[in-house]
Amino acid sequence: MNCKTCPLNIDSCCFKAEMISKIPLHFRNLFLCNNDCASTCSKNSLCGRDLWVLSFIGQNEKFAISNALSTMESIVNKGFSELLCYLFENAPYETRKEMWLKMTKEHSNQLYMFDALFEKECLAPLSNGINEEEIHKYQNCVLFPKMIYSSNLQYA
């Protein structure tokens, strides 16, 4: 998807005002863009679509799910490891699986960006690439993130 067909682009014929109505008024400008978006989105910032994906992926929102791979690409290219971990932790399983396959195929030299997730599972950092004998441990860590349970839960 490009800016010309983005439903968050106010200059686009594809603009969907009903999407923006989900956002509180004082935050709407963060998500809106126009035809100048490509020139204003710098190397160190994310576009409105990426912010949308990060905001709504955990709610299984259709637009967020359909744009998760392109947001992952943007995050990886810009080196935002914390946001990459957040994206994976909040995406539904099928989306995580697609993103993991793309990461291992096209960005295997950047799997170190998941080191914060790996550390939670007491796995060594992937500074030297994939250890083929133990990749399943890292894959499971990314595909099946641990759920945080309240200490007040009663077990039968």
Side-chain angles (χ1 to χ4, degrees):
M1 174 179 296
N2 62 39
C3 291
K4 293 177 183 175
T5 59
C6 182
L8 299 171
N9 181 348
I10 59 176
D11 295 337
S12 167
C13 63
C14 301
F15 178 68
K16 293 184 179 178
E18 64 273 8
M19 285 179 68
I20 294 301
S21 67
K22 293 181 181 182
I23 306 295
L25 186 60
H26 52 283
F27 290 118
R28 288 184 184 167
N29 284 338
L30 294 173
F31 294 89
L32 285 174
C33 69
N34 58 29
N35 285 337
D36 296 328
C37 180
S39 63
T40 60
C41 285
S42 71
K43 182 181 180 186
N44 295 323
S45 66
L46 297 173
C47 75
R49 182 197 67 222
D50 296 331
L51 295 174
W52 186 276
V53 170
L54 290 165
S55 298
F56 291 100
I57 191 91
Q59 297 174 18
N60 291 328
E61 196 269 339
K62 186 178 177 180
F63 183 75
I65 300 296
S66 66
N67 286 281
L69 284 173
S70 61
T71 294
M72 183 200 76
E73 282 288 326
S74 179
I75 289 170
V76 169
N77 291 334
K78 293 175 183 183
F80 297 147
S81 59
E82 297 88 1
L83 292 178
L84 183 65
C85 291
Y86 178 87
L87 180 65
F88 271 79
E89 287 177 320
N90 288 282
Y93 172 77
E94 287 299 322
T95 305
R96 280 194 311 271
K97 183 177 172 184
E98 283 181 66
M99 292 188 299
W100 175 254
L101 292 172
K102 187 171 182 79
M103 280 295 296
T104 56
K105 183 178 180 182
E106 298 177 17
H107 302 288
S108 62
N109 61 332
Q110 292 174 293
L111 292 177
Y112 66 87
M113 293 179 76
F114 292 112
D115 282 351
L117 289 179
F118 300 150
E119 185 178 337
K120 289 179 187 178
E121 294 295 317
C122 299
L123 295 171
L126 282 177
S127 56
N128 297 328
I130 300 173
N131 178 345
E132 293 296 328
E133 295 173 1
E134 296 190 357
I135 189 63
H136 67 281
K137 294 177 186 176
Y138 294 91
Q139 180 175 326
N140 282 342
C141 175
V142 172
L143 293 181
F144 305 105
K146 298 289 186 217
M147 302 300 286
I148 300 172
Y149 296 101
S150 169
S151 61
N152 296 330
L153 291 178
Q154 299 294 321
Y155 296 99

